[in-house]
Amino acid sequence: MSENEKQGLLTGPQSQVPGYGAPPPSGYPPQGAPPQGYPGQAPPQGYQGQAPPQGYPGQAPPQGYPGQAPPQGYQGGPPPQGGYPPQGAPAGAVPPAAGQVEQDSIPSAPPIEKMDQIAGYENVASQDPLPPPSYEEVTRAPPPTDRQIPSASVITAEQAKEAYIDFTSEHCCYGSSGAKDSSIVDLKSSSAFHYTLETFGEKRVTTWAQEPYNGQPIDGPQNGPAPGPWDLQVMASKNFQNSKSDIEVPHTASVKPCHTCVGNCRVRCNHCHGRGNNRCTWCHGNGHNRVYEDGRHHNKPCHHCNRSGQQRCNWCHGHGQVKCKTCDGKGNLKCYIKLTVTWTNHYDDHIVERTALPSELIRGVNGQTAFEEELPRVWAINHFPDPTINQASDTLVKRHSTAFPTERLLIQRHRVRIIPVNEVIAIWKNQETKFYVYGFENKVYAPDYPQKCCCTIL
């Protein structure tokens, strides 16, 4: 073999991609040595001056690797995504199982060491929430003074019985006469209190992101220094509502060769391992099927593969390569720092209910708002007639002030609702029962309804 032929075998696209010029891992033939498998042999016709890649004798290699030998261990196809097999992998390594998408094992972005260094974003790879900037305590309004608290509404016995009857109509296994024929003998009205505290916070995280490069404008460091993560003005669409927004940090973009196909636009088809065909599923690669006709078994040629036992790969249409999904076949990626802003509404509440009515039922009904306040930082309530609400407010306000260290607290809101609760005692067929009517909707809670039956729905 001449010196020119040897030199041609050493030329490969992997060493020519900008930014990916690292030497191949151990296991590759030393520089200057021809690939194994052609000692003292002339290359086949059509590859003058070069040895054809292994696994393609007398056949053109897959598109994207003209006149070059693929790395050992992947005979019959281009090298796997990423360009090289793992360091120290033995020759003849088994390729991935058929059906596994080869790009699934590829990182979602180029290696961090290939990214540009952006001032202020040295720890972007950690993807940890960025601590909010230090700021002085917001100006707080003076604490609220005593004010008149409205009383809960009271219903009559007729309204309680009407709600009782409507309650039975919502249950198919409840007889209506248990409510219609009952007599209200006692009604006690009380109030439940529902205190809520909401803290609206903002969290920011930066990560490297990439998208196919189609020639779009690139806002890189040449346009100026990148602003800090908390210097960008990003506003929530609505307060006290969870939302999320992703934006590109200005002056951080650059163009890099695709790390999946190494700039070649195409990758090896993992369904056929670069061969361009698969074993025929009709004859299982035999080229014929065993059939029973005329009282005997004999081989019948398979017409689906024309007796070859192979079918053209439906994924790559016989080419052995498919378009790279990472770069969409463009070969290059636009890489930039992505800022993810997450707004979270942190909600806590406390219910004061002194009857047998389950407290969780209070959350789902309407009541009268006795107190509401919305400020950058709220004061704990200290003037409510029920001391339990004052204590709950003080506890929750103190908890929210330190519970979210990675977020910037934007605004807070708290309120107290008064929900009417009526305890009703009724008699039906000399049987005493108790039920509750609560909320402005006059919802009924009657766990001991006297006329329950079992019914079967056909």
Side-chain angles (χ1 to χ4, degrees), residues 113-191:
E113 60 269 14
K114 300 297 182 181
M115 296 292 96
D116 298 332
Q117 294 295 326
I118 306 297
Y121 294 88
E122 290 79 9
N123 297 325
V124 66
S126 65
Q127 301 185 13
D128 295 329
L130 301 169
S134 59
Y135 52 89
E136 296 184 3
E137 184 69 16
V138 296
T139 303
R140 304 180 69 180
T145 57
D146 294 345
R147 63 185 69 183
Q148 187 68 29
I149 301 299
S151 59
S153 60
V154 179
I155 64 173
T156 63
E158 290 76 12
Q159 291 174 324
K161 186 172 182 177
E162 182 181 352
Y164 201 27
I165 296 173
D166 293 339
F167 166 75
T168 61
S169 64
E170 299 173 357
H171 297 75
C172 62
C173 295
Y174 285 12
S176 60
S177 61
K180 292 179 180 179
D181 300 338
S182 64
S183 300
I184 306 297
V185 297
D186 191 16
L187 189 151
K188 297 179 181 178
S189 298
S190 62
S191 298

Side-chain angles (χ1 to χ4, degrees), residues 147-368:
R147 63 185 69 183
Q148 187 68 29
I149 301 299
S151 59
S153 60
V154 179
I155 64 173
T156 63
E158 290 76 12
Q159 291 174 324
K161 186 172 182 177
E162 182 181 352
Y164 201 27
I165 296 173
D166 293 339
F167 166 75
T168 61
S169 64
E170 299 173 357
H171 297 75
C172 62
C173 295
Y174 285 12
S176 60
S177 61
K180 292 179 180 179
D181 300 338
S182 64
S183 300
I184 306 297
V185 297
D186 191 16
L187 189 151
K188 297 179 181 178
S189 298
S190 62
S191 298
F193 305 115
H194 185 203
Y195 172 77
T196 61
L197 172 64
E198 298 172 90
T199 298
F200 191 56
E202 176 185 344
K203 179 175 65 177
R204 299 194 174 193
V205 177
T206 56
T207 57
W208 279 107
Q210 47 91 31
E211 62 185 41
Y213 177 63
N214 301 309
Q216 62 266 40
I218 299 298
D219 182 13
Q222 69 278 4
N223 295 332
W230 288 98
D231 296 333
L232 295 171
Q233 298 296 321
V234 186
M235 303 297 294
S237 57
K238 187 177 182 180
N239 287 343
F240 304 107
Q241 180 174 310
N242 293 345
S243 59
K244 186 177 180 180
S245 178
D246 294 329
I247 63 172
E248 177 184 337
V249 178
H251 312 331
T252 62
S254 60
V255 177
K256 302 290 183 183
C258 177
H259 57 286
T260 301
C261 64
V262 200
N264 290 313
C265 306
R266 302 179 68 82
V267 294
R268 185 184 66 172
C269 176
N270 194 57
H271 294 272
C272 65
H273 304 298
R275 294 186 295 266
N277 52 61
N278 291 312
R279 186 174 64 175
C280 178
T281 57
W282 296 88
C283 64
H284 305 288
N286 297 320
H288 60 266
N289 293 304
R290 190 74 172 173
V291 297
Y292 182 80
E293 290 180 354
D294 301 331
R296 62 187 182 89
H297 291 88
H298 61 91
N299 294 330
K300 184 177 181 179
C302 179
H303 300 289
H304 295 278
C305 62
N306 198 20
R307 305 181 183 184
S308 66
Q310 300 290 322
Q311 287 182 316
R312 188 177 67 169
C313 178
N314 293 327
W315 296 85
C316 65
H317 305 289
H319 298 293
Q321 291 187 326
V322 295
K323 182 173 69 173
C324 177
K325 295 180 180 179
T326 304
C327 65
D328 194 29
K330 302 300 187 295
N332 290 317
L333 296 172
K334 173 187 174 182
C335 301
Y336 60 92
I337 294 179
K338 178 179 67 176
L339 174 66
T340 301
V341 185
T342 305
W343 293 276
T344 306
N345 187 40
H346 303 280
Y347 177 92
D348 270 315
D349 69 342
H350 183 81
I351 296 175
V352 179
E353 162 52 28
R354 295 185 173 90
T355 68
L357 180 71
S359 298
E360 59 269 14
L361 297 178
I362 297 299
R363 294 188 178 94
V365 295
N366 294 321
Q368 184 172 0

